[in-house]
Amino acid sequence: MSPAFFAGYALSLGLILAIGAQNAFVLRQGIRREHVFVVCLTCALSDALLITAGVAGFGSLTQAADWFEPLMRYGGATFLIWYGARSLHAAFTKVEALDAGPANGASLPLRPVLLTVLAFTWLNPHVYLDTVVLIGSISAQYPDRLSFGIGAALASLTFFFALGYGARLLAPLFARPRAWQVLDTLVTLTMWTIAAKLLLA
C-alpha cells in the first residue's frame, strides 16, 4: 500500500469519526438491528461518490492553476485546525448520551429509514466540506491521488459497517457522555496532526 492510501484512509476516518446526526442514526439502527446493511451501504456509497468527485475535480484544477495547490493546502490546514477545535470544545461541553430509543420497539419500514439516512448524508453541508472540498484538496498533495481516494473511500466503508454491526457492543459504552467526550478528543488530535503535516510539508 502506498503512503497516499494510508493518508487518505487516516484523513477520511478522522473526519468521519466526528459525532453527527448521520453517525448517531447508523448507531441507533445498529442497536435496534433494523436495515443495518442498507443503511451502512448507503452511507458508504454516498461517501465514495463524493470523494471521487472531490479527488477528480481538485486534481484537474491543480494541474491547470499553479496557485491552487498552496491555497488548498493552507486552506485545508486551517479547516482541520478549526474542525479539531470544534471537537475539543464539544468534548468539554457536551453532556448528552446516545438515546437509541426502545430496543424492542416496532420496526420501521425500509423506505423511511432509507430516506432518513439519505437526508442525513446529502442534505448536510458538512458532508460536502469533508469529502468534496477537504479530501479533494488534500488529495492534490499526493502524486497518487487514486490511492488516496481509494483509501478515503475504504475508510468510510469499514467505519460505517463496523459502526452498524458493532453497535450492540458499543451501546452500553455510549450510554455514558464520557465516551463521547473521549471520542471527540481523539478526533481533535487526529485533525491537528494532519493539519501540522500539511503546514510542514
Side-chain angles (χ1 to χ4, degrees):
M1 295 295 181
S2 70
F5 174 88
F6 290 109
Y9 192 98
L11 174 63
S12 179
L13 187 62
L15 289 169
I16 206 169
L17 277 173
I19 299 166
Q22 185 188 48
N23 290 355
F25 183 76
V26 173
L27 194 56
R28 288 187 181 97
Q29 291 303 117
I31 293 171
R32 294 170 64 93
R33 296 183 182 178
E34 292 180 2
H35 314 298
V36 179
F37 180 82
V38 174
V39 168
C40 295
L41 185 63
T42 299
C43 291
L45 289 178
S46 296
D47 275 6
L49 288 174
L50 291 166
I51 289 168
T52 299
V55 171
F58 274 86
S60 301
L61 188 55
T62 299
Q63 292 177 351
D66 294 338
W67 53 265
F68 190 71
E69 185 272 335
L71 175 65
M72 289 297 100
R73 178 155 57 95
Y74 290 115
T78 301
F79 181 80
L80 286 169
I81 292 170
W82 170 82
Y83 206 107
R86 189 183 69 169
S87 294
L88 187 63
H89 179 265
F92 285 97
T93 58
K94 274 190 176 181
V95 294
E96 297 90 351
L98 174 67
D99 178 15
N104 298 320
S107 177
L108 291 173
L110 175 60
R111 178 182 171 85
V113 170
L114 186 58
L115 290 175
T116 300
V117 74
L118 285 172
F120 279 141
T121 302
W122 293 92
L123 298 182
N124 180 3
H126 288 104
V127 170
Y128 296 93
L129 288 174
D130 291 350
T131 55
V132 178
V133 177
L134 186 60
I135 292 178
S137 63
I138 293 178
S139 72
Q141 314 300 317
Y142 296 88
D144 190 2
R145 291 192 299 273
L146 177 60
S147 292
F148 188 95
I150 292 173
L154 185 60
S156 174
L157 179 71
T158 55
F159 172 80
F160 280 120
F161 275 91
L163 181 64
Y165 285 98
R168 279 298 178 95
L169 300 175
L170 294 173
L173 174 65
F174 283 95
R176 300 192 298 269
R178 177 66 64 184
W180 293 107
Q181 293 172 335
V182 171
L183 183 58
D184 273 324
T185 302
L186 292 175
V187 169
T188 296
L189 294 175
T190 301
M191 296 298 99
W192 285 356
T193 299
I194 297 171
K197 289 181 178 179
L198 282 177
L199 294 173
L200 296 174

